[in-house]
Amino acid sequence: MKSVQLWVLLALMLGGTVTFGQDSMGARPKKARTPEDYKPRTLKEIETAGKPLLDELKRDTQGGATTLIHGDLFPSRVRLVYKGSVRPLTPNRKAIISQWAQRYAGYPEHYTVPYTSEVLFAENGVNRWLVVKTDDSVAFRNKLRRGAVVDLYLIRLGAFKSGTSWKWVLLAEKFAGAK
C-alpha cells in the first residue's frame, strides 16, 4: 500500500514539475506579424512616437549618444510614393540593423543578409530612404513605375544621429499596391 502511495506521489510531483517548468521557461517561438499588426500611420507619426525614446536616451547619456537601438518595433503601414531610386544600404543604417538583430532577433541573419538596399519614397513631398530587401528593390523596379503609390509594412529598429538631427531606421518587411 505504501509503495502505491509513493508511486502516485512521485508521479504527481514529476508531472507538476514538468508542466510548471514548461510554462516558466524563457524564450518562446515568436508569432509572425500579420497585416493587422501594422497600424496605418504616416512617417511623421512614426518619428513623433519615437521622440520620447530619443529624449530618454539624451537624458541617460547627457546627450552623448549617437545611436538608439530599441525593441519596440512599432509595426506601421504607411502609404508612400515610389520615387524609383535605389542605393546600397548606408553604413549607419547597416550598423543599426546589425546591432538590433544581435540584440533582439533570434536569427540575426534574417535581417542582416537580405536587407542590403534602400529605396527612395516620398510622403507629402518629403523624400525618405527606407531599408528594403534587395529582392524587393528589384520587384519595385519591375512592378512599379515612378510616382506609383505603395503601402509599405514597416518596423522601426532604431535611430542614428546625423549632425544635429536623428534619422530613424525603418525596415520594409513587405509591400503592396495601394488600394
Side-chain angles (χ1 to χ4, degrees):
M1 179 74 170
K2 287 189 179 201
S3 170
V4 171
Q5 289 174 337
L6 181 61
W7 280 109
V8 169
L9 179 62
L10 185 60
L12 288 173
M13 287 175 51
L14 288 176
T17 303
V18 170
T19 302
F20 177 77
Q22 288 178 357
D23 284 343
S24 67
M25 293 182 114
R28 294 174 184 229
K30 295 179 181 177
K31 173 186 137 332
R33 280 179 287 284
T34 66
E36 294 76 31
D37 294 327
Y38 298 85
K39 303 301 177 212
R41 297 185 174 98
T42 64
L43 293 176
K44 186 76 171 158
E45 289 172 333
I46 295 170
E47 290 176 359
T48 301
K51 190 171 179 336
L53 299 172
L54 293 175
D55 291 343
E56 182 181 336
L57 178 68
K58 290 176 195 173
R59 259 192 325 275
D60 291 347
T61 63
Q62 289 81 40
T66 58
T67 60
L68 168 71
I69 310 298
H70 202 273
D72 179 9
L73 297 176
F74 207 64
S76 304
R77 181 174 41 91
V78 181
R79 183 159 289 173
L80 302 168
V81 175
Y82 172 64
K83 299 298 281 185
S85 297
V86 177
R87 70 181 185 191
L89 195 59
T90 61
N92 286 333
R93 284 186 175 86
K94 189 174 192 169
I96 295 291
I97 293 168
S98 179
Q99 290 173 38
W100 180 88
Q102 291 299 321
R103 189 175 299 171
Y104 294 107
Y107 179 57
E109 293 79 13
H110 179 75
Y111 294 95
T112 58
V113 173
Y115 291 93
T116 60
S117 300
E118 298 177 50
V119 174
L120 187 62
F121 294 92
E123 179 182 64
N124 297 324
V126 178
N127 290 339
R128 305 283 173 92
W129 289 98
L130 300 175
V131 180
V132 299
K133 290 179 184 173
T134 300
D135 292 347
D136 285 348
S137 69
V138 172
F140 284 132
R141 277 192 232 157
N142 293 336
K143 293 181 180 181
L144 301 174
R145 66 185 197 306
R146 273 186 194 162
V149 177
V150 63
D151 286 338
L152 290 183
Y153 295 81
L154 303 172
I155 57 174
R156 179 184 66 190
L157 305 183
F160 63 91
K161 195 170 189 178
S162 177
T164 59
S165 64
W166 286 85
K167 307 285 185 198
W168 287 98
V169 177
L170 303 175
L171 190 141
E173 293 194 297
K174 53 187 160 184
F175 72 96
K179 296 176 183 165

